[in-house]
């Protein structure tokens, strides 16, 4: 038969090396990573750098909500309308969509930026360069 061998209590303890001391400085204490805001970067020295605003179309459109825009869209493999032009008041813009409204009818259009070719405005655009960028 098998002989029962008592399991050593030391084998049940976690292995803690000198670099694994916890927040309190005592071996075995929980190691808690620093809290870093979403999108931030950590430098090799351990400092956090806040995310930089990027100059994407959606951000430029958000700076110009309420303005009348003309959007030129292309829809591949569509026999009825391969290219279509939409004109309306810019209501909202997201990473993958643009919402405009027709001021005459109040009808709203949700357009996918996947189909967007370009946009024109009849007035100057509000645009500020991203933080930290030079002109």
């Amino acid at each position: 038969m098998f002989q029962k061998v008592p399991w050593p209590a030391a084998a049940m303890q976690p292995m803690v090396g000198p670099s694994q001391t916890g927040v309190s400085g005592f071996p075995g204490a929980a190691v808690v990573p620093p809290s870093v805001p979403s999108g931030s970067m950590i430098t090799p020295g351990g400092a956090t750098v806040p995310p930089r605003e990027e100059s994407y179309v959606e951000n430029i459109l958000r700076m110009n909500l309420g303005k009348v825009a003309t959007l030129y869209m292309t829809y591949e493999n569509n026999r009825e309308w391969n290219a279509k032009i939409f004109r309306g008041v810019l209501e909202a813009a997201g990473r993958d969509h643009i919402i405009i409204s027709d001021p005459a009818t109040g009808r709203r259009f949700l357009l996918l930026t996947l189909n967007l070719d370009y946009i024109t405005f009849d007035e100057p655009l509000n645009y500020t360069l991203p933080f930290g960028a030079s002109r």
Side-chain angles (χ1 to χ4, degrees), residues 40-115:
S40 295
M41 295 184 347
I42 301 177
T43 64
T48 59
V49 178
R52 196 175 84 150
E53 182 68 27
E54 300 288 339
S55 180
Y56 292 114
V57 169
E58 73 219 47
N59 294 333
I60 297 168
L61 292 176
R62 286 183 191 134
M63 289 184 231
N64 292 280
L65 296 179
K67 293 187 178 188
V68 176
T70 305
L71 294 86
Y72 297 84
M73 314 287 279
T74 303
Y75 300 89
E76 293 182 31
N77 301 319
N78 189 322
R79 293 179 200 216
E80 291 181 41
W81 33 271
N82 178 271
K84 191 158 177 133
I85 300 171
F86 294 89
R87 185 167 174 84
V89 176
L90 191 56
E91 299 282 337
R95 181 163 291 184
D96 65 346
H97 65 278
I98 302 167
I99 299 174
I100 61 170
S101 63
D102 181 349
T105 65
R107 187 175 188 185
R108 287 180 168 67
F109 297 89
L110 172 63
L111 305 169
L112 299 179
T113 54
L114 175 72
N115 305 109

Side-chain angles (χ1 to χ4, degrees), residues 22-37:
V23 176
S24 64
F26 296 106
V31 177
V32 180
S35 176
V36 179

Side-chain angles (χ1 to χ4, degrees), residues 10-31:
M12 300 298 284
Q13 300 298 320
M15 299 291 288
V16 177
S19 65
Q20 293 178 326
T21 57
V23 176
S24 64
F26 296 106
V31 177

